Amino acid sequence: MRVPLSWLREYVDLPATETGRDVQAKLISAGLEVETVEHLGADLKGPLVVGQVLTIEELEGFKKPIRFCTVDVGRANGTGEPQEIVCGARNFSVGDKVVVVLPGATLPGGFSISARKTYGKVSHGMICSSDELGMGDDGSHGIIVLPPETEVGKDAVELLELVDEVLDIAVTANRGDCLSIRGVARETAIAYGLPLRDPALLDVPGPNAFGYPVKVSDPAGCDRFTARTVTGLSPEARSPIWLQRRLQKVGMRPISLAVDVTNYVMMELGQPLHAYDRHQVQGAIGVRRAQEGEKIVTLDGVERKLHAEDLVITDDRGPIGLAGVMGGADTEIADHDPSEEGAGATTDVIIEAAHFDQVSVARTARRHKLSSEASRRFERGVDPQAAAAAAQRTVDLLVLLAGGTAEAGVTEVVAPGAPHTVTMAADHPDKVAGVTYGRETVVRRLQEVGCDVYGQDELIVTVPSWRPDLTDPNDLAEEVIRLEGYENLPSTLPRPPAGRGLTARQRLHRRIGRALAGAGYVEALNYPFVSEQVFDQLGLEADDPARRVVKLVNPLSDEEPALRTSLLPGLLAALRRNDGRGSHDLALFETGLVFQPRDAARVAANLPVDRRPSPDDIAALNAALPDQPRHVAVVLAGAREQAGWWGKGRPADWADAVEAARTVAREAGAELDIRKGQYGPWHPGRCAELTVTVDGAERVVGHAGELHPRVLKTLGLPARSCAMELDLDVLERVGDTVPQAPSISTFPVATQDVALVVDAYVPAADVEAALREGAGELLESIRLFDVYENAEQLGEGRKSLAYALRFRANDRTLTVDEASAAREAAVALATDRTGAVLRG
């Protein structure tokens, strides 16, 4: 909503020194969102005067029509001689009054005017259009032509009200009253503590039997309909300059006098109006729901097929307007055509000022994709009591400006209704804000808003008709708090109850996040929505459980209607996006929920709102939800270690993904078994299957390794990208999070190295497991430090695995024989299980 400060001052006596910035600060403090203050004419400097065209000479020989004009500007040029000006516009004639800018002036945008030679003539100034003066669109598409009675030589800056300040207010959906000068003036008056001159306080005649006939068939859709008639409008009457300028300042284009007046009153009072050409309306005006399939041509020239829920205005022919949205072309106000004396001009009009149901108007506007100034106001709530005053204001302006005659007939159809009242404890705002306002302050602030307040400890508040958003005690409390000033609320830190903190699950998730961040990973949070095609891209089998998804009834995007069963789609998309933007060395992680549908679908019951749900209610709700285990996943690409003076870098590989899984398992206190695996998006030869023992049974909790080249190509990922995903809930279940102090022995360690030759397909993890088991309790640690393949030395399809075994006893120094015996036992078991042979 654009609010000119000059218009606002008509209803509130603001101090003369108050600027738009000052008013902006006050309104923001009162809770209105004033986005900008536009300074109209701030860089405009005169002389800018009214001139009369004396002669026009058409210049020939140019690509476009050029005219050399002499213009009488009175004594504004200091000589009284006609001003010679070159102009290319065609919409003015000899004798017209125009706006002339003289040399030495500066137009908006810093455009300086001086005498200059152009098209073979010297132009001493310029004849101005509305765009050149920063006035906006006036519909002329050319030079401003002023009324004939305008005085020559008059200051055009003052005449056209070119200097002003305009506040641009972002009105929220609940404050429809502020979509009018009246509403903003009320807020301004409250903010400054000044009286308001309410423009809706008019003497309005009561309804009588002589008004234009109106029949409302749907009182729920239209609870108030006022109709007034004005006859004898002058076809030549045009909107005065002040009216046109005010419409331009609020962002509307002047059209014709009757239409401009209805728009002006709408912006002034917030009540949308519509003017019908009386001679085009056939029979009584009606308000009803449309019949399915009915059609109407609206004012924008589009034929629209109506829906049965659309509320329409009708006459004997059928629909003549979409109620609260846009009128029909059949009853459009016809403007005077100067080329044809009075032909087709509207001289008698019917003024409609009605109150329509905001939900119905909103649905109709969206259904037909037809948003208008009227629908914006009805959607947010219009003051029903303002309809009669708005109609009277429109009639008064038409009589004054167009020489019309107001007929005595007044039609007013009103559905029965009562003011809305709210009961509220006098100290309720105190409890909401945590500040003691007191009853007197609460009552005073509510009365300033327009409420009638009765009662002592319990207040009975009758809300004003222009505030339909005030429906419960919290709304009233908000009014008190905002008017007292949000900035005056004290800042206090909440005091959490003692003995509560993070749960064990939350602490585990935080430890895992810190551990992965410490290992060089960056956390990425992704949307939990996926398309079902992503499972094909990941290479999952047709019967894979991950393909069973929970689908959303109303998804944000039709392309992603399902909830994720894996964290990898989102992380891989983040990897691809970052790689495409030039970040090629990436290590990302995410912890989050995945969603797995239950075998039996259940419908959740509606929980009570008047009390806390019982444990049974909450259990039933949880039972209707899908299983939501928490997973952790990482993805890697590019360099894992950067090259520098310290040495060569190293690219990320499958071992980094496996190590990330070990890092997570260590934080969970779980023992993770790693073996060769094959699943979905991972490379079959570089995939580790991650398992734990749950209740004596082995359970797969995830996979890690290098992704399959086919998946990388399909998803557009960098070569050799790696990934890991684990089920955190299972790790938490089997883990022991009790901190274990490290065991420190005072006895020396005995180190034995062993190199075993095995078939190339034998996983190193199997060999390591056999060595660990065979070495027994004396083994402190085992580390694979070399993998060697050479067909000439080892044979085709063979490889050598070299391990460093550390032996130590807690109560003595081991002898060479004891360490050697443990080593030989380890080798023997590895030979038995994997066919390993000591490398000679």
Side-chain angles (χ1 to χ4, degrees):
M1 176 68 190
R2 291 171 56 84
V3 180
L5 190 59
S6 59
W7 198 350
L8 194 63
R9 289 181 183 274
E10 281 199 9
Y11 309 126
V12 184
D13 288 327
L14 295 172
T17 57
E18 289 294 285
T19 66
R21 294 291 184 190
D22 298 327
V23 177
Q24 177 189 32
K26 285 282 189 180
L27 293 180
I28 289 176
S29 177
L32 294 185
E33 186 179 346
V34 185
E35 293 187 329
T36 60
V37 178
E38 183 179 354
H39 297 270
L40 301 182
D43 51 355
L44 176 64
K45 296 180 182 178
L48 189 72
V49 299
V50 175
Q52 184 174 21
V53 180
L54 301 179
T55 63
I56 298 177
E57 177 188 351
E58 302 289 345
L59 302 182
E60 306 292 339
F62 299 103
K63 293 183 179 179
K64 61 180 181 179
I66 299 297
R67 312 169 95 185
F68 180 66
C69 311
T70 59
V71 185
D72 178 14
V73 294
R75 302 293 302 179
N77 58 4
T79 65
E81 297 294 326
Q83 200 79 4
E84 297 179 340
I85 299 175
V86 175
C87 183
R90 311 291 296 177
N91 68 313
F92 64 95
S93 306
V94 172
D96 282 346
K97 303 288 181 65
V98 295
V99 178
V100 178
V101 57
L102 301 177
T106 302
L107 294 183
F111 181 54
S112 298
I113 303 299
S114 60
R116 63 189 183 94
K117 187 172 183 180
T118 178
Y119 297 103
K121 300 285 186 178
V122 177
S123 181
H124 298 272
M126 190 168 73
I127 303 175
C128 298
S129 67
S130 60
D131 286 338
E132 290 164 341
L133 297 179
M135 296 169 55
D137 185 11
D138 64 353
S140 67
H141 304 294
I143 294 303
I144 301 171
V145 179
L146 300 172
E149 64 273 12
T150 309
E151 179 185 352
V152 172
K154 184 178 178 64
D155 183 3
V157 174
E158 179 183 351
L159 175 69
L160 299 177
E161 301 177 11
L162 297 179
V163 178
D164 202 351
E165 292 181 276
V166 179
L167 285 71
D168 193 352
I169 303 176
V171 179
T172 54
N174 65 317
R175 291 304 304 272
D177 61 303
C178 288
L179 284 173
S180 66
I181 303 296
R182 178 196 184 200
V184 177
R186 182 182 297 108
E187 291 295 317
T188 305
I190 296 172
Y192 278 91
L194 297 172
L196 169 71
R197 288 189 292 274
D198 192 342
L201 293 180
L202 302 174
D203 292 330
V204 180
N208 54 52
F210 308 107
Y212 198 90
V214 173
K215 181 180 179 182
V216 178
S217 303
D218 191 339
C222 176
D223 57 6
R224 184 178 295 265
F225 195 107
T226 300
R228 299 289 299 275
T229 304
V230 181
T231 60
L233 301 181
S234 171
E236 290 80 16
R238 291 291 175 267
S239 300
I241 293 175
W242 65 265
L243 179 58
Q244 295 185 44
R245 288 297 294 132
R246 287 193 170 178
L247 289 177
Q248 288 174 330
K249 289 177 184 178
V250 298
M252 302 192 77
R253 180 173 64 86
I255 299 174
S256 64
L257 178 58
V259 175
D260 291 349
V261 167
T262 58
N263 286 336
Y264 177 85
V265 175
M266 175 180 68
M267 302 308 295
E268 182 181 55
L269 302 182
Q271 168 67 53
L273 302 109
H274 191 70
Y276 300 93
D277 187 328
R278 181 174 180 176
H279 298 295
Q280 301 299 327
V281 178
Q282 300 181 11
I285 292 177
V287 183
R288 61 170 172 82
R289 298 288 172 176
Q291 298 175 7
E292 191 69 40
E294 277 188 308
K295 295 181 179 179
I296 183 175
V297 178
T298 46
L299 288 174
D300 57 357
V302 177
E303 183 179 77
R304 303 182 185 278
K305 187 176 181 181
L306 301 179
H307 188 276
E309 291 185 3
D310 291 336
L311 193 67
V312 293
I313 311 297
T314 64
D315 65 2
D316 290 349
R317 296 167 297 178
I320 59 173
L322 282 174
V325 181
M326 186 173 285
D330 290 343
T331 57
E332 180 180 7
I333 297 294
D335 199 8
H336 171 60
D337 185 356
S339 64
E340 222 174 306
E341 186 72 24
T346 297
T347 57
D348 301 340
V349 297
I350 302 170
I351 305 300
E352 165 210 305
H355 184 261
F356 301 111
D357 175 59
Q358 61 188 87
V359 174
S360 177
V361 171
R363 289 177 175 173
T364 297
R366 284 158 179 74
R367 187 179 299 119
H368 295 285
K369 297 181 175 60
L370 186 61
S371 180
S372 64
E373 292 289 345
S375 68
R376 286 183 61 222
R377 284 159 176 80
F378 279 121
E379 289 173 15
R380 289 161 174 78
V382 169
D383 180 6
Q385 302 293 334
Q392 182 63 45
R393 177 74 164 138
T394 305
V395 169
D396 292 344
L397 288 173
L398 288 176
V399 170
L400 175 66
L401 302 176
T405 301
E407 290 196 350
V410 177
T411 302
E412 192 164 356
V413 180
V414 181
H420 181 64
T421 60
V422 179
T423 301
M424 179 186 74
D427 62 349
H428 182 66
D430 301 2
K431 294 178 180 178
V432 172
V435 176
T436 302
Y437 293 121
R439 180 187 177 280
E440 291 185 3
T441 299
V442 171
V443 172
R444 175 172 57 85
R445 287 303 189 183
L446 292 179
Q447 288 175 340
E448 287 177 347
V449 172
C451 299
D452 291 330
V453 186
Y454 303 95
Q456 293 298 319
D457 294 338
E458 187 174 75
L459 303 179
I460 300 175
V461 182
T462 302
V463 302
S465 58
W466 57 82
R467 291 300 301 275
D469 58 306
L470 304 182
T471 60
D472 59 53
N474 287 331
D475 295 329
L476 300 178
E478 182 182 6
E479 292 300 298
V480 175
I481 296 168
R482 75 176 180 88
L483 294 179
E484 283 295 304
Y486 291 116
E487 68 276 10
N488 295 324
L489 294 177
S491 298
T492 56
L493 292 175
R495 296 181 179 178
R500 297 186 182 182
L502 298 177
T503 64
R505 188 184 192 211
Q506 291 171 329
R507 288 194 295 271
L508 172 61
H509 296 158
R510 293 197 178 188
R511 288 202 310 273
I512 289 172
R514 285 194 294 266
L516 290 175
Y521 290 86
V522 176
E523 185 171 16
L525 302 178
N526 300 292
Y527 284 118
F529 313 116
V530 297
S531 66
E532 294 184 83
Q533 287 73 24
V534 75
F535 302 122
D536 296 329
Q537 296 170 340
L538 292 178
L540 299 186
E541 299 292 339
D543 58 348
D544 195 295
R547 286 183 175 270
R548 294 185 62 239
V549 295
V550 177
K551 290 189 177 180
L552 300 173
V553 175
N554 187 22
L556 292 178
S557 169
D558 292 336
E559 295 180 357
E560 296 179 331
L563 292 174
R564 66 188 178 191
T565 56
S566 167
L567 300 182
L568 288 184
L571 272 179
L572 293 176
L575 182 73
R576 178 179 64 248
R577 186 164 53 250
N578 282 275
D579 181 72
R581 294 174 180 174
S583 297
H584 305 301
D585 302 327
L586 296 162
L588 308 177
F589 84 94
E590 180 178 12
T591 59
L593 300 178
V594 299
F595 305 86
Q596 299 168 349
R598 298 181 187 268
D599 293 334
R602 300 183 184 181
V603 178
N606 292 326
L607 295 181
V609 296
D610 58 341
R611 57 181 173 82
R612 187 184 188 280
S614 68
D616 291 340
D617 292 333
I618 296 176
L621 178 64
N622 288 332
L625 296 175
D627 289 328
Q628 301 176 57
R630 185 174 291 271
H631 282 200
V632 59
V634 305
V635 294
L636 305 101
R640 185 65 177 135
E641 296 177 3
Q642 296 291 337
W645 57 265
W646 51 85
K648 295 182 179 180
R650 181 179 66 82
D653 60 17
W654 62 269
D656 294 301
V658 174
E659 183 57 30
R662 289 196 178 101
T663 300
V664 172
R666 280 195 298 269
E667 293 297 327
E671 185 176 345
L672 194 66
D673 294 324
I674 301 172
R675 64 190 183 197
K676 182 180 179 180
Q678 182 174 344
Y679 177 71
W682 280 277
H683 192 296
R686 296 167 188 157
C687 174
E689 187 175 75
L690 312 174
T691 65
V692 295
T693 301
V694 182
D695 298 330
E698 192 175 64
R699 178 171 173 179
V700 178
V701 292
H703 295 83
E706 185 179 315
L707 296 176
H708 199 289
R710 183 173 59 250
V711 173
L712 299 180
K713 182 178 180 180
T714 303
L715 295 178
L717 298 173
R720 295 300 180 93
S721 295
C722 303
M724 178 278 293
E725 185 167 13
L726 277 173
D727 189 328
L728 268 185
D729 285 354
V730 177
L731 287 182
E732 181 183 9
R733 178 180 170 187
V734 302
D736 182 6
T737 57
V738 178
Q740 299 291 332
S743 176
I744 300 176
S745 176
T746 60
F747 298 97
V749 66
T751 302
Q752 296 273 352
D753 293 344
V754 59
L756 300 177
V757 178
V758 296
D759 290 332
Y761 64 82
V762 175
D766 292 350
V767 178
E768 180 180 324
L771 290 173
R772 187 183 301 276
E773 183 179 343
E777 61 182 11
L778 294 179
L779 182 67
E780 183 179 79
S781 67
I782 181 172
R783 178 175 62 88
L784 175 66
F785 67 86
D786 184 57
V787 178
Y788 177 72
E789 295 183 9
N790 188 311
E792 294 182 1
Q793 296 184 18
L794 304 178
E796 192 69 33
R798 305 279 283 176
K799 65 181 177 182
S800 172
L801 304 176
Y803 293 89
L805 308 178
R806 290 168 57 91
F807 299 97
R808 195 195 311 257
N810 294 327
D811 57 350
R812 68 189 186 280
T813 299
L814 293 179
T815 65
V816 174
D817 291 339
E818 287 178 309
S820 298
R823 172 183 177 274
E824 291 171 0
V827 172
L829 188 58
T831 301
D832 183 56
R833 287 188 177 177
T834 65
V837 178
L838 270 174
R839 181 179 173 189

